[in-house]
Amino acid sequence: MAIVTADSTLPTVQSYIDGRYFPSTSNKTFVAVYPATNRTICEVEQAGMAEVDAAVDAAQRGFAVWSAMPALERSRILLRAVAIIRERNDELAALDTLDTGKPIGETSTEDVVTGADVIEFYAGVAQTLHGDTIDFPGHGFARMKREPLGVCVGIGAWNYPIQIAMWKSALALACGNAMIFKPAEMTPLSAGVLAEIYTEAGLPDGVFNVLQGDGSVGQALVRHAGVAKVSLTGEVSTGKSVMADAAGTLKAVTLELGGKSPIVVFDDADVDSALNAALTNNFFSTGQVCSNGTRVFVQRGVYEQFLEPIAERVRALTVGDPFDPDTMIGPLVSAEHREKVMRYMQIAEASGARQIVGGDAVDPILAAGNFVLPAVYADCTDDMEFVTDEVFGPLMSVLPFDTEDEVVTRANATPYGLSAAVFSSDFARSNRVANALQAGSVWINDYGTLPASLPFGGYKQSGVGRENGANAIEHYTQVKMIYSSLVPVEKYM
Ligand code: NDP
C-alpha cells in the first residue's frame, strides 16, 4: 500500500517520483479522515517545490524513454497494469471507500472496474496511432506525424480518486506522454498504489508520478515551464484558475468540471425506467457525481405518477457503514461538505417546493460521520437556488413542464452543460430534443452508460476537451507536418 509507517502510530503517505516513494522536504503534513467516523486514517507529506521540480525532471526523463518505445510495447505494459489492477480490485476499492466513504458496493464494482476498462481501451488505441500523408504530384509530399506532448499533469477531484487517476493516465500514457498526478488532498490513498502497479507492470521510472498535496501543489505544476499540458477534474472555479495559470506558458488544458444536468421525462415515456434512472443518478455516491441528473423535468401528464413511488423507494435505501456490501448511501466526503449540502437542504425546505421525502435526522449511531439522508423536492421552479447550483449531495429537484420547446429552453438555461437525458417513446422527438440539449453527453431512455469507447466532457462551463473514446487522443498529441521536396528549390530572389 502507498504508505510507510514512521515513528508515529499513523501511517504516512508520501509522493511517488521516479519509480519510488519519495520523502518530502517541505516539513508540512496534513491528515486524511474516514468520512463515516471522521477518524484520522493517515498523515500525508505535502510535496514542496523541490518535489515538484524532482517530479518534472523525472517525468521528462521518463518521457524520453517512453515516447521512444514501440507502441506495441507500451500497449503490453498498460495491459499488464490492467491485469494487476483487476487482481487488486478489492484492495483499491477499499482504499477509495476509506478515503471517500463511498459504499464498497460501488467502489468495487464501478470505480476500479471502469478505470481498468479505460486503460485496456487505450492500450488498444496506442497501437492504432498513426499519421497521414498528402501528395503534391510533381513537387513532393507531406507526412503528418502524430507526436506526444511531453509531461502532462493530471489533477484529481475527491469523488472518484482511483478512477480519475486511471482515466487521465491511460489516455496520456497511451499517447506516449509522461504524467504527474496530484490527487485531491482529501483522498490521497489510492494514487500511489496505482503508481506501484504501473512500476510492477514494467512502466519505465518517471513515466507516472504522484505528488501529494493541496491546491498549491496543483498550481505549481500548472505554472511549471517543464509541463506541456494539464488535465483537471474539479469545480468550475478551479477550472478557471487552472486555465488562467496555464495561460502563462500557453499550456493545453482539459477541464472536466461541474454540472447541473437535466433529465427530461415526456408523457409517453416508460415512467418506471425514467424513475430508476433519476434515483440512481441523484443518489449514487451520495449525490457526489458530476454528471448526475439533478434537475428532473417531468411532463404534467405523468407528473404525479412519477412522484408517487419516490418516498417509499428513497426510504428503502440502506444508509450506513460504507464497508457493508448492502449499503447504498454512505457519508459525504467531509464535515465541511456536509455543511454545504445541509445549507442547500435548508434552502430547499424554505423554498416553498413540495417535499416528497427528506428532512429526517440520521440515526444517532451515524452522527459521528458526515451522513445526510436523501431528499426529493417537487414543484420546483427554475430560479430556486438549490435548482440552479451544483449541490453535489443527495438532493433531487423535480420540475413540471408542458411543452417540448419550453422544456428544451428551460433545460438549457444553465451555465453548465455536462450531461442530459430524454425519456420518450417517440423516436423522432427524443432525438430532436437530444440534438437541442446543450450537453457533452446525452442519453435517450437511459442515463450514465459510459463505456470506455465513448467520449466524456462538458459543454459551456462544464469543461474543455474530452476524456475517453478514440477522439480524445487529439487532446494528448500534436501533429507535426514534415514536407519532403522531390524537386530542387527554384531561384526566386
Ligand atoms: P476542486 O476544484 O476543489 O479540486 C479539484 C482538484 O484541484 C483538487 O486536487 C484540488 O486540490 C486541486 N486544486 C485546487 N485549487 C487548485 C489550483 N488553483 N490549481 C491547481 N489545482 C488546484 O474540486 P473537488 O475536489 O471539490 O471536486 C468536486 C468537483 O469536481 C465538483 O464540481 C464536480 O462536479 C467536479 N467533478 C467533475 C467531473 C467531470 O468529469 N466533469 C468528475 C468528478 C468531479 P485539493 O483539493 O487537494 O486542495
Side-chain angles (χ1 to χ4, degrees), residues 16-29:
Y16 191 97
I17 301 172
D18 213 8
R20 65 182 175 89
Y21 285 106
F22 206 90
S24 170
T25 54
S26 74
N27 288 325
K28 285 192 199 143
T29 58

Side-chain angles (χ1 to χ4, degrees), residues 332-402:
L332 295 170
V333 74
S334 66
E336 191 190 358
H337 187 53
R338 180 179 183 277
E339 251 174 55
K340 174 189 154 183
V341 171
M342 287 309 290
R343 210 165 50 241
Y344 278 109
M345 292 282 186
Q346 283 152 11
I347 289 170
E349 232 170 303
S351 67
R354 176 167 36 134
Q355 187 184 70
I356 303 298
V357 63
D360 302 330
V362 292
D363 186 325
I365 279 184
L366 303 175
N370 310 316
F371 290 88
V372 171
L373 296 183
V376 178
Y377 284 83
D379 309 347
C380 300
T381 54
D382 299 339
D383 57 349
M384 289 174 174
E385 212 179 333
F386 68 102
V387 177
T388 57
D389 295 5
E390 185 185 46
V391 177
F392 227 53
L395 177 53
M396 170 168 142
S397 321
V398 188
L399 305 97
F401 74 91
D402 294 299

Side-chain angles (χ1 to χ4, degrees), residues 151-172:
V151 176
C152 298
V153 161
I155 302 177
W158 45 257
N159 63 336
Y160 278 88
I162 190 72
Q163 189 212 56
I164 292 172
M166 291 200 266
W167 281 21
K168 291 195 190 302
S169 59
L171 175 53

Side-chain angles (χ1 to χ4, degrees), residues 416-490:
Y416 296 110
L418 193 54
S419 302
V422 192
F423 283 82
S424 168
S425 56
D426 180 333
F427 180 82
R429 173 159 67 184
S430 56
N431 277 278
R432 205 165 49 232
V433 171
N435 286 338
L437 288 171
Q438 296 162 350
S441 305
V442 184
W443 290 276
I444 294 176
N445 296 327
D446 194 14
Y447 202 101
T449 300
L450 209 61
S453 53
L454 298 183
F456 182 67
Y459 275 26
K460 300 193 277 187
Q461 293 192 29
S462 285
V464 174
R466 294 290 177 272
E467 288 183 337
N468 299 353
N471 292 344
I473 62 159
E474 301 288 343
H475 305 298
Y476 281 81
T477 54
Q478 53 197 336
V479 174
K480 178 183 279 174
M481 185 284 287
I482 302 176
Y483 182 85
S484 297
S485 177
L486 300 177
V487 293
V489 177
E490 284 176 13

Side-chain angles (χ1 to χ4, degrees), residues 144-478:
M144 267 60 67
K145 188 170 175 271
R146 192 170 283 283
E147 294 189 340
L149 302 175
V151 176
C152 298
V153 161
I155 302 177
W158 45 257
N159 63 336
Y160 278 88
I162 190 72
Q163 189 212 56
I164 292 172
M166 291 200 266
W167 281 21
K168 291 195 190 302
S169 59
L171 175 53
L173 269 45
C175 292
N177 302 288
M179 172 156 273
I180 303 169
F181 185 77
K182 190 203 86 66
E185 179 184 358
M186 279 191 278
T187 53
L189 289 180
S190 55
V193 180
L194 178 63
E196 279 179 46
I197 290 172
Y198 276 136
T199 299
E200 186 186 339
L203 195 75
D205 291 347
V207 179
F208 183 75
N209 310 276
V210 174
L211 282 187
Q212 298 287 355
D214 61 16
S216 68
V217 175
Q219 188 172 50
L221 286 166
V222 174
R223 290 179 173 175
H224 204 291
V227 169
K229 149 126 203 158
V230 176
S231 173
L232 165 86
T233 298
E235 291 176 9
V236 170
S237 57
T238 312
K240 289 176 182 173
S241 315
V242 164
M243 203 167 187
D245 281 328
T249 44
L250 286 180
K251 289 179 178 63
V253 291
T254 294
L255 302 173
E256 295 286 356
L257 309 176
K260 193 74 196 186
S261 302
I263 297 178
V264 178
V265 185
F266 283 98
D267 282 347
D268 60 2
D270 176 338
V271 175
D272 284 349
S273 172
L275 181 60
N276 288 338
L279 292 178
T280 305
N281 291 282
N282 272 273
F283 302 135
F284 200 72
S285 290
T286 317
Q288 302 165 114
V289 183
C290 53
S291 55
N292 268 354
T294 44
R295 291 182 299 142
V296 185
F297 293 93
V298 184
Q299 205 164 15
R300 283 193 202 275
V302 291
Y303 190 68
E304 291 305 328
Q305 182 192 343
F306 181 89
L307 294 175
E308 205 270 325
I310 287 182
E312 199 184 331
R313 291 276 302 269
V314 170
R315 288 205 180 96
L317 298 173
T318 315
V319 182
D321 176 3
F323 280 97
D324 181 336
D326 292 332
T327 294
M328 302 294 278
I329 305 286
L332 295 170
V333 74
S334 66
E336 191 190 358
H337 187 53
R338 180 179 183 277
E339 251 174 55
K340 174 189 154 183
V341 171
M342 287 309 290
R343 210 165 50 241
Y344 278 109
M345 292 282 186
Q346 283 152 11
I347 289 170
E349 232 170 303
S351 67
R354 176 167 36 134
Q355 187 184 70
I356 303 298
V357 63
D360 302 330
V362 292
D363 186 325
I365 279 184
L366 303 175
N370 310 316
F371 290 88
V372 171
L373 296 183
V376 178
Y377 284 83
D379 309 347
C380 300
T381 54
D382 299 339
D383 57 349
M384 289 174 174
E385 212 179 333
F386 68 102
V387 177
T388 57
D389 295 5
E390 185 185 46
V391 177
F392 227 53
L395 177 53
M396 170 168 142
S397 321
V398 188
L399 305 97
F401 74 91
D402 294 299
T403 69
E404 180 181 322
D405 285 349
E406 171 209 335
V407 77
V408 167
T409 306
R410 290 172 61 196
N412 285 338
T414 166
Y416 296 110
L418 193 54
S419 302
V422 192
F423 283 82
S424 168
S425 56
D426 180 333
F427 180 82
R429 173 159 67 184
S430 56
N431 277 278
R432 205 165 49 232
V433 171
N435 286 338
L437 288 171
Q438 296 162 350
S441 305
V442 184
W443 290 276
I444 294 176
N445 296 327
D446 194 14
Y447 202 101
T449 300
L450 209 61
S453 53
L454 298 183
F456 182 67
Y459 275 26
K460 300 193 277 187
Q461 293 192 29
S462 285
V464 174
R466 294 290 177 272
E467 288 183 337
N468 299 353
N471 292 344
I473 62 159
E474 301 288 343
H475 305 298
Y476 281 81
T477 54
Q478 53 197 336

